[in-house]
């Protein structure tokens, strides 16, 4: 995009090459000062069967965008591209127009300012060593992507299963408390049943709603509840968790047990599928910020 004008329709492909780009003294004159500055690594006649396609020379340039499937496999914007084995030094943009004159006429007719340069947004990962091993960095990135994608698959319905397990544990605890309270009540022994936590306070009015004066009474002193009231409160807590259990079972339908199928991803439990970059204690591992896959950077 340049000056608010979208140039995507005029771009056919974008390649990165191993050699540096030549210095451009003016739009029509290139100065090749050294043998390490060239755009020849992307040129026509690279493929004898497609002489009219500007393609990258094998192992010397790499395609990161291609919208012309008549020339090569399509690579769409936003797609992650893997396979780079050298440090890119030049970006070569292939335009869809047949000639500069055709491009000039098209841009002029579309109302694009010809003074604005073409702008390309590229998201990339860099190696931090002074003299990086590009292949090792690429391998690390590829492994990182695989690990992160697999972890995301492991996370499918993981929160729902964890909550379901917690809800069922709480229901068992309440049932045990009911059995104990009923036994004590029926035995006639004195035992003060604990009070359940009070309900949460009402939500504040939404922004812009008229304010209302509400008289706030002092809190009531703690009162003793009977066994029957306490047991009924426990049954109410169980009923709320049973309702939540039904909702969760609906959400995980088809994944009642982890495993899934070739067409249905069910993920893993939080014990079987933890984050590779978070330790058992919950502390982030060394490679957590960048999701690095080097040995020692992940610990899950």
């Amino acid at each position: 995009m340049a000056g608010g004008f979208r140039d995507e329709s005029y771009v056919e492909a974008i390649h990165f090459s191993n050699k540096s780009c030549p210095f451009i003294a003016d739009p029509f004159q290139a100065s090749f000062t050294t043998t390490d500055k060239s755009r020849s690594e992307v040129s026509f006649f690279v493929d004898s069967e497609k002489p009219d396609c500007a393609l990258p020379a094998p192992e010397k340039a790499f395609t990161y965008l291609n919208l012309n499937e008549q020339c090569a496999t399509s690579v769409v914007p936003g797609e992650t591209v893997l396979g780079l084995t050298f440090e890119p030094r030049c970006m070569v943009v292939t335009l869809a127009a047949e000639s500069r004159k055709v491009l000039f006429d098209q841009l002029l007719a579309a109302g694009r300012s010809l003074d604005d340069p073409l702008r390309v947004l590229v998201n990339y990962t860099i190696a931090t060593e002074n003299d990086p091993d590009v292949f090792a960095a690429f391998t690390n990135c590829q492994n990182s992507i695989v690990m992160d994608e697999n972890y995301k698959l492991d996370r499918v319905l993981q929160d729902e299963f964890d909550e379901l397990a917690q809800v069922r544990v709480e229901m068992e605890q309440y049932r045990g408390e009911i059995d104990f309270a009923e036994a004590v009540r029926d035995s006639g022994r004195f035992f003060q049943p604990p009070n359940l936590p009070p309900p949460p306070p009402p939500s504040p009015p939404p922004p812009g709603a008229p304010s209302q004066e509400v008289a706030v009474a002092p809190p009531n002193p703690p009162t003793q509840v009977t066994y029957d009231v306490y047991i009924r409160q426990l049954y109410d807590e169980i009923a709320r968790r049973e309702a939540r259990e039904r909702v969760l079972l609906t959400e995980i339908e088809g994944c009642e047990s982890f495993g899934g199928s070739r067409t249905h991803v069910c993920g893993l439990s939080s014990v079987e599928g933890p984050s590779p970059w978070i330790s058992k204690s919950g502390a982030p591992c060394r490679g957590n910020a960048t999701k690095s896959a080097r040995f020692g950077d992940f610990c899950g």
Side-chain angles (χ1 to χ4, degrees):
M1 175 183 292
F5 191 91
R6 304 190 70 87
D7 294 326
E8 288 92 333
S9 59
Y10 302 97
V11 176
E12 179 177 295
I14 296 176
H15 316 276
F16 286 94
S17 61
N18 192 13
K19 289 184 178 179
S20 301
C21 297
F23 173 73
I24 305 298
D26 59 64
F28 305 101
Q29 181 66 38
S31 175
F32 293 85
T33 57
T34 70
T35 58
D36 196 32
K37 293 186 177 182
S38 171
R39 289 193 302 272
S40 62
E41 293 173 325
V42 178
S43 62
F44 297 99
F45 295 98
V46 171
D47 187 338
S48 59
E49 296 182 358
K50 303 174 182 177
D52 295 330
C53 294
L55 298 173
E59 301 181 3
K60 295 182 179 181
F62 207 79
T63 301
Y64 272 69
L65 176 76
N66 179 53
L67 304 179
N68 185 356
E69 291 189 343
Q70 301 299 319
C71 289
T73 303
S74 62
V75 181
V76 299
E79 185 174 344
T80 300
V81 180
L82 300 173
L84 190 67
T85 57
F86 55 82
E87 182 179 0
R89 295 181 176 89
C90 183
M91 181 173 67
V92 182
V93 179
T94 303
L95 299 178
E98 296 181 358
S99 65
R100 287 177 177 173
K101 182 181 185 306
V102 172
L103 177 64
F104 178 85
D105 293 339
Q106 289 177 349
L107 296 179
L108 196 63
R112 185 196 190 280
S113 174
L114 302 181
D115 292 335
D116 293 332
L118 177 69
R119 299 179 184 178
V120 178
L121 176 63
V122 180
N123 296 319
Y124 58 91
T125 300
I126 62 173
T128 56
E129 298 290 338
N130 292 330
D131 186 19
D133 184 329
V134 177
F135 182 75
F138 154 69
T139 302
N140 179 32
C141 291
Q142 188 172 19
N143 290 340
S144 173
I145 292 173
V146 172
M147 288 178 62
D148 188 46
E149 289 178 347
N150 286 339
Y151 173 58
K152 290 176 181 177
L153 294 176
D154 293 343
R155 284 277 301 147
V156 174
L157 296 176
Q158 194 176 95
D159 292 340
E160 288 77 1
F161 271 98
D162 287 348
E163 183 183 357
L164 179 62
Q166 180 61 31
V167 165
R168 288 172 170 172
V169 168
E170 292 174 358
M171 287 194 295
E172 287 302 313
Q173 291 174 342
Y174 282 125
R175 292 189 182 103
E177 188 67 21
I178 289 173
D179 292 340
F180 175 76
E182 289 178 342
V184 174
R185 179 197 61 187
D186 297 341
S187 68
R189 290 179 291 171
F190 175 79
F191 174 74
Q192 174 59 43
N195 291 322
L196 293 176
S203 303
S211 59
Q212 297 180 354
E213 295 289 337
V214 178
V216 179
N220 294 325
T223 58
Q224 295 182 350
V225 297
T226 64
Y227 284 109
D228 291 335
V229 172
Y230 176 60
I231 292 171
R232 186 165 61 251
Q233 291 174 339
L234 292 174
Y235 275 116
D236 289 341
E237 294 295 327
I238 292 176
R240 277 191 281 271
R241 281 154 181 79
E242 287 176 338
R244 182 57 184 163
E245 180 187 37
R246 289 192 293 270
V247 172
L248 290 170
L249 288 174
T250 301
E251 293 179 357
I252 66 174
E253 185 177 1
C255 288
E256 286 75 7
S257 61
F258 285 107
S261 65
R262 293 179 63 90
T263 58
H264 198 75
V265 179
C266 295
L268 296 174
S269 68
S270 56
V271 176
E272 295 175 307
S275 169
W277 297 283
I278 299 295
S279 65
K280 289 184 178 180
S281 64
C285 309
R286 187 175 68 188
N288 180 63
T290 59
K291 292 183 171 59
S292 173
R294 295 184 306 170
F295 180 77
D297 286 352
F298 58 94
C299 53

